[in-house]
Amino acid sequence: MNLSLSLFPLGWQHYLLGGLIIGSGAALLFVLTGRIGGMSTVFSSSWSYLVQRPFFQQGRFVDSRGWRLAYALGLILGALVWWLGFAGGVREATAVPAWQLLVGGFFVGYGARLGNGCTSGHGICGLGSLQWPSLLAVLTFMATAFLTANMAARWLA
């Protein structure tokens, strides 16, 4: 079987298009506003609305939470538009319960904040501006993801 078909049974073009759109969006945000489009700070700045602890009330979170929340909502709405317009509204199914997805999402956000960034900040914005720490972070993220995926595949098999 063709390797491309086994890795990308639905094709690779939509992945390329998605990457170009995400990269263009991050570049436009930086060029037009000077802001970095990473998502891990969205986690902390969003919590600054609810949690009054000093960490979440830092100026860098409170002063930027309005545009960061709008940025996150734009990503969600963009995914909705894509789903309705290009995916034909086809619903993907998962056997994972909604509460586990929410808990997992919380831990991903917390881990990204703990790691001083995530793949969007380091992988798209940091690598795009040739930052050495971002390269190390992305290599660490990817190695951890490969290891976790292989361990989970063996554990669940």
Side-chain angles (χ1 to χ4, degrees):
M1 176 180 242
N2 185 341
L3 181 61
S4 177
L5 285 176
S6 66
L7 292 175
F8 306 105
L10 300 176
W12 54 268
Q13 294 84 355
H14 59 286
Y15 296 113
L16 176 62
L17 180 60
L20 290 172
I21 292 171
I22 291 169
S24 298
L28 267 173
L29 179 67
F30 184 74
V31 168
L32 296 177
T33 66
R35 296 174 173 154
I36 303 293
M39 291 304 294
S40 62
T41 307
V42 171
F43 179 80
S44 297
S45 63
S46 297
W47 278 103
S48 73
Y49 283 110
L50 303 172
V51 180
Q52 297 304 311
R53 298 195 59 159
F55 174 80
F56 293 105
Q57 295 306 312
Q58 295 178 59
R60 66 187 175 126
F61 299 139
V62 174
D63 297 343
S64 68
R65 66 187 178 187
W67 80 263
R68 289 186 188 282
L69 193 56
Y71 183 64
L73 290 174
L75 289 172
I76 293 167
L77 289 175
L80 179 64
V81 167
W82 177 270
W83 179 64
L84 292 173
F86 297 102
V90 175
R91 186 167 180 235
E92 294 291 327
T94 180
V96 179
W99 72 270
Q100 287 181 348
L101 293 172
L102 283 170
V103 170
F106 175 82
F107 282 122
V108 166
Y110 178 75
R113 187 67 253 150
L114 191 62
N116 291 322
C118 59
T119 52
S120 60
H122 287 297
I124 297 168
C125 302
L127 290 180
S129 59
L130 303 176
Q131 294 181 17
W132 178 251
S134 290
L135 175 61
L136 296 176
V138 169
L139 291 173
T140 301
F141 296 156
M142 295 307 293
T144 303
F146 293 149
L147 180 65
T148 302
N150 281 294
M151 287 174 60
R154 288 196 174 111
W155 182 65
L156 295 173

